Amino acid sequence: MLDKKIADLINTQVNKELYSAYLYLDFANYYEDEGLDGFAHWYEIQAQEERDHAMMMRKYLLDNGVRVTFEAIEKPDKEYKCHTCPLQAGLEHEQYVTSLITAIYKEAANQSDYKTMQFLDWFIKEQVEEEKNADDLLKKMKLFGGDSKGLYMLNQELASRVYTPAAALSD
Ligand code: FEO
């Protein structure tokens, strides 16, 4: 069994990951509307990854005998006034998610809950990747997205992103 506080934190994080998927689909909606289908595609893949994160946490709870409960997912309600705005918001969101994962890890460490710490190791590493991807994308946009040719090329590049399910999902 898991400690109730840790189980609750992970259950809440399931909701946060599903919100992340929702947020990134909202970005995709914006970019699709702006005619930037490559950016939209990139965020559709990102949303799939976020759903995977939620499912990994859900499975961990279920495997440990926890009854998982779902709460309403918050509405993504931001208006984006520029093509760079969602990218900036994406980086800030990933930094926020890192802080949430770190808080769960700290609680697990406080309680010497080694199995949860080991489970969360994957997410700690993943957040390094998530922040780097968001930061790289923002930097590229600032460097190349300022003129129509650069934006076109970047849109083409982002259209080639391929979805790869997390290896941990097949465990
Ligand atoms: Fe689930 Fe983007 O971190």
Side-chain angles (χ1 to χ4, degrees):
M1 281 298 283
L2 280 182
D3 168 80
K4 182 165 180 349
K5 185 171 179 186
I6 291 174
D8 287 349
L9 284 168
I10 297 174
N11 200 141
T12 299
Q13 192 61 30
V14 171
N15 182 281
K16 301 280 186 187
E17 298 292 336
L18 291 172
Y19 171 75
S20 299
Y22 228 38
L23 179 70
Y24 292 142
L25 283 177
D26 192 50
F27 289 3
N29 293 341
Y30 164 79
Y31 283 120
E32 199 68 54
D33 194 47
E34 291 290 309
L36 291 167
D37 56 348
F39 283 74
H41 171 78
W42 198 92
Y43 276 112
E44 283 165 5
I45 301 265
Q46 190 62 30
Q48 283 179 283
E49 288 197 357
E50 298 301 348
R51 184 184 178 279
D52 289 350
H53 298 168
M55 291 306 103
M56 287 162 66
M57 291 178 183
R58 173 180 172 269
K59 185 173 187 312
Y60 181 72
L61 292 174
L62 293 174
D63 286 350
N64 282 280
V66 176
R67 171 78 169 90
V68 178
T69 55
F70 288 150
E71 302 295 334
I73 301 168
E74 193 185 336
K75 179 182 177 182
D77 59 358
K78 291 192 177 68
E79 289 290 326
Y80 303 108
K81 293 187 167 50
C82 68
H83 292 153
T84 308
C85 296
L87 307 180
Q88 181 67 46
L91 175 59
E92 287 164 14
H93 182 69
E94 286 303 333
Q95 289 165 342
Y96 167 63
V97 172
T98 298
S99 75
L100 296 174
I101 300 284
T102 303
I104 307 172
Y105 196 96
K106 271 187 192 157
E107 184 58 32
N110 282 344
Q111 297 196 24
S112 303
D113 178 351
Y114 301 114
K115 69 179 176 184
T116 297
M117 289 161 70
Q118 192 176 47
F119 169 70
L120 290 173
D121 279 345
W122 186 91
F123 288 93
I124 297 280
K125 276 190 224 149
E126 176 70 3
Q127 281 313 118
V128 175
E129 189 76 13
E130 292 283 75
E131 286 193 36
K132 183 185 183 314
N133 287 344
D135 191 43
D136 284 354
L137 196 47
L138 185 58
K139 280 183 185 148
K140 277 186 189 175
M141 186 64 165
K142 285 179 177 170
L143 278 171
F144 310 118
D147 69 74
S148 54
K149 190 175 176 195
L151 188 61
Y152 179 80
M153 298 294 283
L154 192 50
N155 189 58
Q156 295 286 95
E157 182 189 320
L158 298 185
S160 65
R161 185 177 184 186
V162 175
Y163 167 64
T164 312
L169 276 177
S170 55
D171 287 354

PDB file of all heavy atoms in Angstrom, residues 91-122:
ATOM      1  N   LEU A  91       6.966  26.535 -22.003  1.00  0.00           N
ATOM      2  CA  LEU A  91       8.172  26.413 -21.164  1.00  0.00           C
ATOM      3  C   LEU A  91       7.823  26.669 -19.696  1.00  0.00           C
ATOM      4  O   LEU A  91       8.222  25.903 -18.807  1.00  0.00           O
ATOM      5  CB  LEU A  91       9.251  27.403 -21.635  1.00  0.00           C
ATOM      6  CG  LEU A  91      10.509  27.462 -20.768  1.00  0.00           C
ATOM      7  CD1 LEU A  91      11.201  26.099 -20.689  1.00  0.00           C
ATOM      8  CD2 LEU A  91      11.486  28.520 -21.292  1.00  0.00           C
ATOM      9  N   GLU A  92       7.046  27.698 -19.453  1.00  0.00           N
ATOM     10  CA  GLU A  92       6.665  28.015 -18.068  1.00  0.00           C
ATOM     11  C   GLU A  92       5.828  26.880 -17.463  1.00  0.00           C
ATOM     12  O   GLU A  92       5.981  26.538 -16.285  1.00  0.00           O
ATOM     13  CB  GLU A  92       5.887  29.341 -18.022  1.00  0.00           C
ATOM     14  CG  GLU A  92       6.806  30.528 -18.242  1.00  0.00           C
ATOM     15  CD  GLU A  92       6.072  31.816 -18.584  1.00  0.00           C
ATOM     16  OE1 GLU A  92       4.832  31.871 -18.401  1.00  0.00           O
ATOM     17  OE2 GLU A  92       6.748  32.768 -19.047  1.00  0.00           O
ATOM     18  N   HIS A  93       4.979  26.287 -18.286  1.00  0.00           N
ATOM     19  CA  HIS A  93       4.161  25.181 -17.787  1.00  0.00           C
ATOM     20  C   HIS A  93       5.036  23.984 -17.408  1.00  0.00           C
ATOM     21  O   HIS A  93       4.829  23.357 -16.360  1.00  0.00           O
ATOM     22  CB  HIS A  93       3.116  24.779 -18.828  1.00  0.00           C
ATOM     23  CG  HIS A  93       2.221  23.696 -18.341  1.00  0.00           C
ATOM     24  ND1 HIS A  93       1.296  23.882 -17.329  1.00  0.00           N
ATOM     25  CD2 HIS A  93       2.138  22.384 -18.671  1.00  0.00           C
ATOM     26  CE1 HIS A  93       0.673  22.756 -17.072  1.00  0.00           C
ATOM     27  NE2 HIS A  93       1.160  21.820 -17.872  1.00  0.00           N
ATOM     28  N   GLU A  94       6.026  23.684 -18.232  1.00  0.00           N
ATOM     29  CA  GLU A  94       6.900  22.545 -17.918  1.00  0.00           C
ATOM     30  C   GLU A  94       7.718  22.812 -16.649  1.00  0.00           C
ATOM     31  O   GLU A  94       7.967  21.896 -15.862  1.00  0.00           O
ATOM     32  CB  GLU A  94       7.815  22.214 -19.097  1.00  0.00           C
ATOM     33  CG  GLU A  94       7.107  21.532 -20.258  1.00  0.00           C
ATOM     34  CD  GLU A  94       6.396  20.233 -19.873  1.00  0.00           C
ATOM     35  OE1 GLU A  94       6.805  19.568 -18.903  1.00  0.00           O
ATOM     36  OE2 GLU A  94       5.408  19.887 -20.543  1.00  0.00           O
ATOM     37  N   GLN A  95       8.117  24.056 -16.451  1.00  0.00           N
ATOM     38  CA  GLN A  95       8.847  24.396 -15.218  1.00  0.00           C
ATOM     39  C   GLN A  95       7.936  24.188 -14.003  1.00  0.00           C
ATOM     40  O   GLN A  95       8.371  23.685 -12.964  1.00  0.00           O
ATOM     41  CB  GLN A  95       9.350  25.843 -15.286  1.00  0.00           C
ATOM     42  CG  GLN A  95      10.492  25.985 -16.295  1.00  0.00           C
ATOM     43  CD  GLN A  95      10.785  27.438 -16.674  1.00  0.00           C
ATOM     44  OE1 GLN A  95       9.953  28.326 -16.468  1.00  0.00           O
ATOM     45  NE2 GLN A  95      11.960  27.671 -17.234  1.00  0.00           N
ATOM     46  N   TYR A  96       6.672  24.526 -14.173  1.00  0.00           N
ATOM     47  CA  TYR A  96       5.690  24.310 -13.100  1.00  0.00           C
ATOM     48  C   TYR A  96       5.523  22.805 -12.824  1.00  0.00           C
ATOM     49  O   TYR A  96       5.528  22.361 -11.664  1.00  0.00           O
ATOM     50  CB  TYR A  96       4.359  24.942 -13.519  1.00  0.00           C
ATOM     51  CG  TYR A  96       3.172  24.568 -12.686  1.00  0.00           C
ATOM     52  CD1 TYR A  96       3.108  24.911 -11.329  1.00  0.00           C
ATOM     53  CD2 TYR A  96       2.090  23.883 -13.241  1.00  0.00           C
ATOM     54  CE1 TYR A  96       2.009  24.563 -10.556  1.00  0.00           C
ATOM     55  CE2 TYR A  96       0.989  23.538 -12.481  1.00  0.00           C
ATOM     56  CZ  TYR A  96       0.947  23.874 -11.140  1.00  0.00           C
ATOM     57  OH  TYR A  96      -0.140  23.522 -10.384  1.00  0.00           O
ATOM     58  N   VAL A  97       5.413  22.015 -13.903  1.00  0.00           N
ATOM     59  CA  VAL A  97       5.252  20.563 -13.726  1.00  0.00           C
ATOM     60  C   VAL A  97       6.476  19.979 -13.020  1.00  0.00           C
ATOM     61  O   VAL A  97       6.346  19.116 -12.139  1.00  0.00           O
ATOM     62  CB  VAL A  97       5.006  19.860 -15.088  1.00  0.00           C
ATOM     63  CG1 VAL A  97       5.046  18.338 -14.939  1.00  0.00           C
ATOM     64  CG2 VAL A  97       3.661  20.292 -15.664  1.00  0.00           C
ATOM     65  N   THR A  98       7.659  20.462 -13.377  1.00  0.00           N
ATOM     66  CA  THR A  98       8.872  19.991 -12.697  1.00  0.00           C
ATOM     67  C   THR A  98       8.763  20.247 -11.196  1.00  0.00           C
ATOM     68  O   THR A  98       9.117  19.382 -10.383  1.00  0.00           O
ATOM     69  CB  THR A  98      10.119  20.715 -13.261  1.00  0.00           C
ATOM     70  OG1 THR A  98      10.230  20.394 -14.652  1.00  0.00           O
ATOM     71  CG2 THR A  98      11.387  20.288 -12.537  1.00  0.00           C
ATOM     72  N   SER A  99       8.241  21.413 -10.821  1.00  0.00           N
ATOM     73  CA  SER A  99       8.118  21.726  -9.390  1.00  0.00           C
ATOM     74  C   SER A  99       7.125  20.777  -8.706  1.00  0.00           C
ATOM     75  O   SER A  99       7.324  20.390  -7.551  1.00  0.00           O
ATOM     76  CB  SER A  99       7.705  23.190  -9.187  1.00  0.00           C
ATOM     77  OG  SER A  99       6.336  23.372  -9.492  1.00  0.00           O
ATOM     78  N   LEU A 100       6.087  20.374  -9.436  1.00  0.00           N
ATOM     79  CA  LEU A 100       5.106  19.443  -8.856  1.00  0.00           C
ATOM     80  C   LEU A 100       5.705  18.060  -8.659  1.00  0.00           C
ATOM     81  O   LEU A 100       5.514  17.420  -7.618  1.00  0.00           O
ATOM     82  CB  LEU A 100       3.879  19.335  -9.777  1.00  0.00           C
ATOM     83  CG  LEU A 100       3.052  20.610  -9.983  1.00  0.00           C
ATOM     84  CD1 LEU A 100       1.974  20.378 -11.036  1.00  0.00           C
ATOM     85  CD2 LEU A 100       2.424  21.070  -8.670  1.00  0.00           C
ATOM     86  N   ILE A 101       6.416  17.586  -9.671  1.00  0.00           N
ATOM     87  CA  ILE A 101       7.045  16.256  -9.583  1.00  0.00           C
ATOM     88  C   ILE A 101       8.082  16.260  -8.451  1.00  0.00           C
ATOM     89  O   ILE A 101       8.167  15.300  -7.665  1.00  0.00           O
ATOM     90  CB  ILE A 101       7.748  15.892 -10.923  1.00  0.00           C
ATOM     91  CG1 ILE A 101       6.746  15.860 -12.088  1.00  0.00           C
ATOM     92  CG2 ILE A 101       8.521  14.582 -10.805  1.00  0.00           C
ATOM     93  CD1 ILE A 101       5.850  14.659 -12.174  1.00  0.00           C
ATOM     94  N   THR A 102       8.822  17.350  -8.358  1.00  0.00           N
ATOM     95  CA  THR A 102       9.842  17.458  -7.309  1.00  0.00           C
ATOM     96  C   THR A 102       9.201  17.418  -5.919  1.00  0.00           C
ATOM     97  O   THR A 102       9.731  16.789  -4.998  1.00  0.00           O
ATOM     98  CB  THR A 102      10.632  18.777  -7.480  1.00  0.00           C
ATOM     99  OG1 THR A 102      11.191  18.793  -8.793  1.00  0.00           O
ATOM    100  CG2 THR A 102      11.761  18.895  -6.471  1.00  0.00           C
ATOM    101  N   ALA A 103       8.046  18.057  -5.789  1.00  0.00           N
ATOM    102  CA  ALA A 103       7.355  18.068  -4.489  1.00  0.00           C
ATOM    103  C   ALA A 103       6.912  16.654  -4.100  1.00  0.00           C
ATOM    104  O   ALA A 103       7.004  16.264  -2.922  1.00  0.00           O
ATOM    105  CB  ALA A 103       6.160  19.010  -4.543  1.00  0.00           C
ATOM    106  N   ILE A 104       6.441  15.883  -5.083  1.00  0.00           N
ATOM    107  CA  ILE A 104       6.038  14.496  -4.770  1.00  0.00           C
ATOM    108  C   ILE A 104       7.276  13.679  -4.376  1.00  0.00           C
ATOM    109  O   ILE A 104       7.248  12.893  -3.431  1.00  0.00           O
ATOM    110  CB  ILE A 104       5.315  13.823  -5.960  1.00  0.00           C
ATOM    111  CG1 ILE A 104       4.151  14.677  -6.459  1.00  0.00           C
ATOM    112  CG2 ILE A 104       4.795  12.443  -5.557  1.00  0.00           C
ATOM    113  CD1 ILE A 104       3.512  14.157  -7.756  1.00  0.00           C
ATOM    114  N   TYR A 105       8.342  13.913  -5.125  1.00  0.00           N
ATOM    115  CA  TYR A 105       9.591  13.180  -4.833  1.00  0.00           C
ATOM    116  C   TYR A 105      10.082  13.491  -3.414  1.00  0.00           C
ATOM    117  O   TYR A 105      10.498  12.594  -2.676  1.00  0.00           O
ATOM    118  CB  TYR A 105      10.663  13.552  -5.864  1.00  0.00           C
ATOM    119  CG  TYR A 105      11.829  12.589  -5.886  1.00  0.00           C
ATOM    120  CD1 TYR A 105      11.882  11.547  -6.809  1.00  0.00           C
ATOM    121  CD2 TYR A 105      12.872  12.714  -4.977  1.00  0.00           C
ATOM    122  CE1 TYR A 105      12.935  10.657  -6.814  1.00  0.00           C
ATOM    123  CE2 TYR A 105      13.932  11.823  -4.975  1.00  0.00           C
ATOM    124  CZ  TYR A 105      13.964  10.798  -5.904  1.00  0.00           C
ATOM    125  OH  TYR A 105      15.009   9.911  -5.909  1.00  0.00           O
ATOM    126  N   LYS A 106       9.999  14.764  -3.048  1.00  0.00           N
ATOM    127  CA  LYS A 106      10.449  15.170  -1.709  1.00  0.00           C
ATOM    128  C   LYS A 106       9.634  14.459  -0.629  1.00  0.00           C
ATOM    129  O   LYS A 106      10.177  14.003   0.371  1.00  0.00           O
ATOM    130  CB  LYS A 106      10.281  16.690  -1.536  1.00  0.00           C
ATOM    131  CG  LYS A 106      11.489  17.478  -1.978  1.00  0.00           C
ATOM    132  CD  LYS A 106      11.292  18.952  -1.609  1.00  0.00           C
ATOM    133  CE  LYS A 106      12.338  19.803  -2.293  1.00  0.00           C
ATOM    134  NZ  LYS A 106      11.939  21.187  -2.443  1.00  0.00           N
ATOM    135  N   GLU A 107       8.320  14.386  -0.853  1.00  0.00           N
ATOM    136  CA  GLU A 107       7.465  13.720   0.130  1.00  0.00           C
ATOM    137  C   GLU A 107       7.823  12.228   0.216  1.00  0.00           C
ATOM    138  O   GLU A 107       7.895  11.658   1.315  1.00  0.00           O
ATOM    139  CB  GLU A 107       5.987  13.898  -0.249  1.00  0.00           C
ATOM    140  CG  GLU A 107       5.002  13.325   0.744  1.00  0.00           C
ATOM    141  CD  GLU A 107       5.144  13.920   2.148  1.00  0.00           C
ATOM    142  OE1 GLU A 107       5.507  15.097   2.279  1.00  0.00           O
ATOM    143  OE2 GLU A 107       4.900  13.164   3.129  1.00  0.00           O
ATOM    144  N   ALA A 108       8.057  11.611  -0.935  1.00  0.00           N
ATOM    145  CA  ALA A 108       8.444  10.193  -0.943  1.00  0.00           C
ATOM    146  C   ALA A 108       9.777  10.010  -0.208  1.00  0.00           C
ATOM    147  O   ALA A 108       9.943   9.059   0.572  1.00  0.00           O
ATOM    148  CB  ALA A 108       8.541   9.689  -2.385  1.00  0.00           C
ATOM    149  N   ALA A 109      10.714  10.933  -0.437  1.00  0.00           N
ATOM    150  CA  ALA A 109      12.020  10.843   0.230  1.00  0.00           C
ATOM    151  C   ALA A 109      11.864  11.030   1.737  1.00  0.00           C
ATOM    152  O   ALA A 109      12.467  10.296   2.528  1.00  0.00           O
ATOM    153  CB  ALA A 109      12.975  11.882  -0.347  1.00  0.00           C
ATOM    154  N   ASN A 110      11.017  11.976   2.138  1.00  0.00           N
ATOM    155  CA  ASN A 110      10.771  12.208   3.575  1.00  0.00           C
ATOM    156  C   ASN A 110      10.270  10.951   4.255  1.00  0.00           C
ATOM    157  O   ASN A 110      10.550  10.699   5.416  1.00  0.00           O
ATOM    158  CB  ASN A 110       9.699  13.295   3.772  1.00  0.00           C
ATOM    159  CG  ASN A 110      10.275  14.673   3.556  1.00  0.00           C
ATOM    160  OD1 ASN A 110      11.492  14.832   3.560  1.00  0.00           O
ATOM    161  ND2 ASN A 110       9.409  15.661   3.349  1.00  0.00           N
ATOM    162  N   GLN A 111       9.470  10.187   3.504  1.00  0.00           N
ATOM    163  CA  GLN A 111       8.851   8.995   4.082  1.00  0.00           C
ATOM    164  C   GLN A 111       9.661   7.725   3.801  1.00  0.00           C
ATOM    165  O   GLN A 111       9.190   6.622   4.061  1.00  0.00           O
ATOM    166  CB  GLN A 111       7.438   8.829   3.533  1.00  0.00           C
ATOM    167  CG  GLN A 111       6.512   9.965   3.902  1.00  0.00           C
ATOM    168  CD  GLN A 111       5.056   9.586   3.689  1.00  0.00           C
ATOM    169  OE1 GLN A 111       4.700   8.413   3.703  1.00  0.00           O
ATOM    170  NE2 GLN A 111       4.214  10.584   3.503  1.00  0.00           N
ATOM    171  N   SER A 112      10.843   7.890   3.230  1.00  0.00           N
ATOM    172  CA  SER A 112      11.673   6.729   2.826  1.00  0.00           C
ATOM    173  C   SER A 112      10.861   5.742   1.991  1.00  0.00           C
ATOM    174  O   SER A 112      10.963   4.523   2.174  1.00  0.00           O
ATOM    175  CB  SER A 112      12.254   6.017   4.057  1.00  0.00           C
ATOM    176  OG  SER A 112      13.005   6.909   4.826  1.00  0.00           O
ATOM    177  N   ASP A 113      10.031   6.290   1.101  1.00  0.00           N
ATOM    178  CA  ASP A 113       9.215   5.454   0.206  1.00  0.00           C
ATOM    179  C   ASP A 113      10.039   5.201  -1.062  1.00  0.00           C
ATOM    180  O   ASP A 113       9.901   5.895  -2.060  1.00  0.00           O
ATOM    181  CB  ASP A 113       7.903   6.191  -0.110  1.00  0.00           C
ATOM    182  CG  ASP A 113       7.019   5.423  -1.074  1.00  0.00           C
ATOM    183  OD1 ASP A 113       7.480   4.400  -1.632  1.00  0.00           O
ATOM    184  OD2 ASP A 113       5.883   5.861  -1.308  1.00  0.00           O
ATOM    185  N   TYR A 114      10.898   4.192  -0.977  1.00  0.00           N
ATOM    186  CA  TYR A 114      11.879   3.972  -2.052  1.00  0.00           C
ATOM    187  C   TYR A 114      11.229   3.559  -3.369  1.00  0.00           C
ATOM    188  O   TYR A 114      11.698   3.910  -4.436  1.00  0.00           O
ATOM    189  CB  TYR A 114      12.926   2.940  -1.614  1.00  0.00           C
ATOM    190  CG  TYR A 114      13.666   3.389  -0.375  1.00  0.00           C
ATOM    191  CD1 TYR A 114      13.534   2.694   0.838  1.00  0.00           C
ATOM    192  CD2 TYR A 114      14.455   4.532  -0.395  1.00  0.00           C
ATOM    193  CE1 TYR A 114      14.179   3.136   1.978  1.00  0.00           C
ATOM    194  CE2 TYR A 114      15.106   4.980   0.745  1.00  0.00           C
ATOM    195  CZ  TYR A 114      14.962   4.280   1.928  1.00  0.00           C
ATOM    196  OH  TYR A 114      15.594   4.728   3.063  1.00  0.00           O
ATOM    197  N   LYS A 115      10.145   2.806  -3.285  1.00  0.00           N
ATOM    198  CA  LYS A 115       9.533   2.364  -4.556  1.00  0.00           C
ATOM    199  C   LYS A 115       8.929   3.558  -5.309  1.00  0.00           C
ATOM    200  O   LYS A 115       9.016   3.623  -6.533  1.00  0.00           O
ATOM    201  CB  LYS A 115       8.498   1.248  -4.333  1.00  0.00           C
ATOM    202  CG  LYS A 115       7.247   1.662  -3.620  1.00  0.00           C
ATOM    203  CD  LYS A 115       6.284   0.495  -3.461  1.00  0.00           C
ATOM    204  CE  LYS A 115       5.084   0.930  -2.639  1.00  0.00           C
ATOM    205  NZ  LYS A 115       4.149  -0.158  -2.355  1.00  0.00           N
ATOM    206  N   THR A 116       8.347   4.516  -4.567  1.00  0.00           N
ATOM    207  CA  THR A 116       7.805   5.698  -5.247  1.00  0.00           C
ATOM    208  C   THR A 116       8.936   6.574  -5.776  1.00  0.00           C
ATOM    209  O   THR A 116       8.842   7.117  -6.882  1.00  0.00           O
ATOM    210  CB  THR A 116       6.881   6.500  -4.313  1.00  0.00           C
ATOM    211  OG1 THR A 116       5.766   5.673  -3.955  1.00  0.00           O
ATOM    212  CG2 THR A 116       6.360   7.767  -4.972  1.00  0.00           C
ATOM    213  N   MET A 117      10.018   6.682  -5.012  1.00  0.00           N
ATOM    214  CA  MET A 117      11.175   7.446  -5.506  1.00  0.00           C
ATOM    215  C   MET A 117      11.686   6.828  -6.813  1.00  0.00           C
ATOM    216  O   MET A 117      11.978   7.543  -7.778  1.00  0.00           O
ATOM    217  CB  MET A 117      12.285   7.477  -4.455  1.00  0.00           C
ATOM    218  CG  MET A 117      11.928   8.348  -3.253  1.00  0.00           C
ATOM    219  SD  MET A 117      12.924   7.986  -1.792  1.00  0.00           S
ATOM    220  CE  MET A 117      14.507   8.593  -2.294  1.00  0.00           C
ATOM    221  N   GLN A 118      11.760   5.503  -6.821  1.00  0.00           N
ATOM    222  CA  GLN A 118      12.243   4.825  -8.032  1.00  0.00           C
ATOM    223  C   GLN A 118      11.272   5.048  -9.202  1.00  0.00           C
ATOM    224  O   GLN A 118      11.677   5.312 -10.322  1.00  0.00           O
ATOM    225  CB  GLN A 118      12.405   3.328  -7.756  1.00  0.00           C
ATOM    226  CG  GLN A 118      13.166   2.629  -8.853  1.00  0.00           C
ATOM    227  CD  GLN A 118      13.401   1.175  -8.534  1.00  0.00           C
ATOM    228  OE1 GLN A 118      12.486   0.461  -8.118  1.00  0.00           O
ATOM    229  NE2 GLN A 118      14.625   0.728  -8.718  1.00  0.00           N
ATOM    230  N   PHE A 119       9.982   4.981  -8.906  1.00  0.00           N
ATOM    231  CA  PHE A 119       8.976   5.240  -9.942  1.00  0.00           C
ATOM    232  C   PHE A 119       9.123   6.658 -10.494  1.00  0.00           C
ATOM    233  O   PHE A 119       9.045   6.896 -11.701  1.00  0.00           O
ATOM    234  CB  PHE A 119       7.569   5.037  -9.348  1.00  0.00           C
ATOM    235  CG  PHE A 119       6.472   5.529 -10.246  1.00  0.00           C
ATOM    236  CD1 PHE A 119       6.164   4.876 -11.428  1.00  0.00           C
ATOM    237  CD2 PHE A 119       5.750   6.680  -9.910  1.00  0.00           C
ATOM    238  CE1 PHE A 119       5.156   5.349 -12.272  1.00  0.00           C
ATOM    239  CE2 PHE A 119       4.742   7.158 -10.745  1.00  0.00           C
ATOM    240  CZ  PHE A 119       4.447   6.493 -11.928  1.00  0.00           C
ATOM    241  N   LEU A 120       9.349   7.606  -9.594  1.00  0.00           N
ATOM    242  CA  LEU A 120       9.425   9.015 -10.013  1.00  0.00           C
ATOM    243  C   LEU A 120      10.724   9.368 -10.721  1.00  0.00           C
ATOM    244  O   LEU A 120      10.794  10.410 -11.376  1.00  0.00           O
ATOM    245  CB  LEU A 120       9.234   9.932  -8.802  1.00  0.00           C
ATOM    246  CG  LEU A 120       7.819   9.956  -8.213  1.00  0.00           C
ATOM    247  CD1 LEU A 120       7.814  10.776  -6.928  1.00  0.00           C
ATOM    248  CD2 LEU A 120       6.800  10.519  -9.204  1.00  0.00           C
ATOM    249  N   ASP A 121      11.749   8.508 -10.588  1.00  0.00           N
ATOM    250  CA  ASP A 121      13.027   8.791 -11.266  1.00  0.00           C
ATOM    251  C   ASP A 121      12.805   9.050 -12.753  1.00  0.00           C
ATOM    252  O   ASP A 121      13.421   9.933 -13.341  1.00  0.00           O
ATOM    253  CB  ASP A 121      14.010   7.617 -11.091  1.00  0.00           C
ATOM    254  CG  ASP A 121      14.693   7.663  -9.737  1.00  0.00           C
ATOM    255  OD1 ASP A 121      14.637   8.720  -9.072  1.00  0.00           O
ATOM    256  OD2 ASP A 121      15.259   6.630  -9.337  1.00  0.00           O
ATOM    257  N   TRP A 122      11.940   8.245 -13.364  1.00  0.00           N
ATOM    258  CA  TRP A 122      11.661   8.403 -14.799  1.00  0.00           C
ATOM    259  C   TRP A 122      11.128   9.813 -15.079  1.00  0.00           C
ATOM    260  O   TRP A 122      11.525  10.467 -16.041  1.00  0.00           O
ATOM    261  CB  TRP A 122      10.643   7.346 -15.260  1.00  0.00           C
ATOM    262  CG  TRP A 122      10.425   7.353 -16.740  1.00  0.00           C
ATOM    263  CD1 TRP A 122      11.099   6.607 -17.674  1.00  0.00           C
ATOM    264  CD2 TRP A 122       9.498   8.173 -17.483  1.00  0.00           C
ATOM    265  NE1 TRP A 122      10.644   6.907 -18.945  1.00  0.00           N
ATOM    266  CE2 TRP A 122       9.661   7.864 -18.858  1.00  0.00           C
ATOM    267  CE3 TRP A 122       8.548   9.135 -17.124  1.00  0.00           C
ATOM    268  CZ2 TRP A 122       8.914   8.468 -19.860  1.00  0.00           C
ATOM    269  CZ3 TRP A 122       7.802   9.748 -18.126  1.00  0.00           C
ATOM    270  CH2 TRP A 122       7.991   9.416 -19.477  1.00  0.00           C
TER     271      TRP A 122
END
